[in-house]
Amino acid sequence: MTQNWGMTIPFQDRSLAGSRELVEQLPELGYTDVWSAEVSGVDGFVPLALAAQWARGLRLGSAIVPVSTRGPGLLAMSAATLADLAPGRFTLGIGSSSPVIVERWNAGTFARPYARTRDTLRFLRRALAGEKVSETYETFEVDGFRLERAPEVPPKIVLAALRPRMLRLAAEEADGAITNWLSPEDVRTVRAEIGPDTELIARLFVCVSEDAGRVRALARRMLAAYLTVPVYAAFHDWLGRGEVLRPMHEAWAAGDRQGALRAIPDEVVDALVVHGDAATCRARIREYVANGLDTPVLAPVAGGEVPIAEAVRALAPDARRADASG
């Protein structure tokens, strides 16, 4: 059994304010981590600040905060605040994000994503260590920034990484790599790029349901929304799914959204989304771990016949403890 077993917060079926009771239960169920996300719902930091108080034993992680939607100094301040709230328990996950999030939704510039992520990582290392930073990086310049209150324990920094170049950067300069939308078999491919000693974190979408048709219909919408994003399309080309996903991409490019959904084969859905009864889901998650995933971060999907709260308990690493809590 993996040492780490994470959960995504807030939960898909409730508000952040309504998540407290379930978050408080996570440590006794055997969960070790909570990880936020940042797309168009909650931001990446506030849920972790609340969880720092609600469940004091959990590691807190952001997966991920984009490097181009905040200035470098603001990003350092937010990270320092979390590190101060939860010394030694906060891990800052950063990444390049996507043109839609950065440019269309946040009026930023999505340019040179690898270099911007690398430069931000290097700046944050120095800033969170309490240094005064005056530096001209390739993608931005900082003149005289110093945190008023540097954290006593600087947070670890992990990078969202989907392909070899960013994965190697994560292994060489960061404290870990975060990936997404992959199968247990794909973990071996990713692990080969980062070596055995770099922490590998992945969000796994899980639907506790034995109605495979219902789950696949739901999952196809999620997959189409992600896999048509250029960075994810390139990721799955690298993983070897380029040809099998070509009909989906062609239909999507032609504006045929329903055709794109129909074009996603069952085997792709089943490879990338964990589903079945709770025991089957737990066994599938452990396949990821057996293949080299250090930290599975579960994201229970609403829409199955099992409510989210029940799924959280049923997916806990020790089913006996989960059943006893139910």
Side-chain angles (χ1 to χ4, degrees):
M1 187 185 300
T2 180
Q3 180 179 348
N4 300 329
W5 200 269
M7 178 57 62
T8 299
I9 60 169
F11 304 99
Q12 198 179 76
D13 67 338
R14 67 197 66 198
S15 69
L16 177 58
S19 298
R20 177 172 183 165
E21 183 178 357
L22 196 49
V23 171
E24 288 176 336
Q25 295 175 20
L26 295 178
E28 66 188 61
L29 292 171
Y31 291 95
T32 61
D33 295 39
V34 288
W35 290 77
S36 63
E38 187 172 281
V39 182
S40 59
V42 297
D43 76 301
F45 291 110
V46 173
L48 302 180
L50 292 171
Q53 307 305 309
W54 293 346
R56 293 180 178 272
L58 295 174
R59 179 168 70 153
L60 316 165
S62 60
I64 52 103
V65 174
V67 297
S68 298
T69 56
R70 294 172 177 81
L74 178 57
L75 187 52
M77 288 187 287
S78 297
T81 302
L82 256 297
D84 187 55
L85 282 173
R89 292 197 289 132
F90 173 54
T91 297
L92 174 64
I94 59 172
S96 61
S97 191
S98 71
V100 169
I101 292 173
V102 174
E103 296 185 338
R104 289 170 51 184
W105 296 353
N106 286 285
T109 300
F110 187 82
R112 304 181 66 193
Y114 171 86
R116 179 63 184 248
T117 302
R118 179 203 62 209
D119 293 348
T120 303
L121 168 64
R122 291 174 178 175
F123 164 77
L124 288 170
R125 284 286 196 216
R126 296 180 60 190
L128 291 168
E131 293 184 33
K132 183 177 182 179
V133 183
S134 293
E135 186 78 33
T136 299
Y137 298 93
E138 288 188 26
T139 57
F140 59 84
E141 181 177 352
V142 175
D143 185 7
F145 177 83
R146 174 179 280 162
L147 286 166
E148 290 184 8
R149 183 185 177 92
E152 291 185 8
V153 182
K156 291 184 177 181
I157 305 174
V158 296
L159 300 185
L162 297 178
R163 284 183 290 166
R165 193 179 184 203
M166 195 75 83
L167 286 164
R168 289 194 292 268
L169 177 65
E172 292 165 3
E173 298 194 31
D175 299 300
I178 304 172
T179 191
N180 195 10
W181 289 115
L182 76 172
S183 72
E185 294 72 26
D186 296 333
V187 171
R188 294 194 184 100
T189 303
V190 173
R191 174 59 70 186
E193 295 295 330
I194 62 175
D197 300 323
T198 299
E199 182 179 6
L200 181 59
I201 303 150
R203 177 166 281 117
L204 307 180
F205 293 90
V206 186
C207 191
V208 181
S209 171
E210 297 182 66
D211 186 341
R214 182 178 179 182
V215 172
R216 287 170 181 152
L218 178 65
R220 280 187 171 88
R221 294 184 179 278
M222 298 169 62
L223 287 167
Y226 269 90
L227 302 190
T228 53
V229 174
V231 291
Y232 280 99
F235 179 44
H236 283 273
D237 283 348
W238 175 60
L239 291 173
R241 293 193 182 90
E243 287 304 312
V244 74
L245 291 174
R246 185 183 300 277
M248 178 200 71
H249 288 297
E250 291 175 347
W252 190 271
D256 182 2
R257 299 298 189 251
Q258 292 302 314
L261 298 180
R262 291 192 298 269
I264 303 173
D266 285 351
E267 56 266 28
V268 171
V269 178
D270 295 344
L272 303 181
V273 177
V274 177
H275 63 94
D277 63 23
T280 298
C281 290
R282 288 194 304 271
R284 182 68 166 170
I285 294 163
R286 291 193 176 101
E287 287 183 39
Y288 283 88
V289 174
N291 287 346
L293 180 63
D294 297 301
T295 304
V297 179
L298 312 188
V301 176
E305 60 268 25
V306 178
I308 292 288
E310 183 180 335
V312 169
R313 291 190 286 268
L315 294 169
D318 188 329
R320 291 170 297 177
R321 294 168 69 180
D323 293 341
S325 298

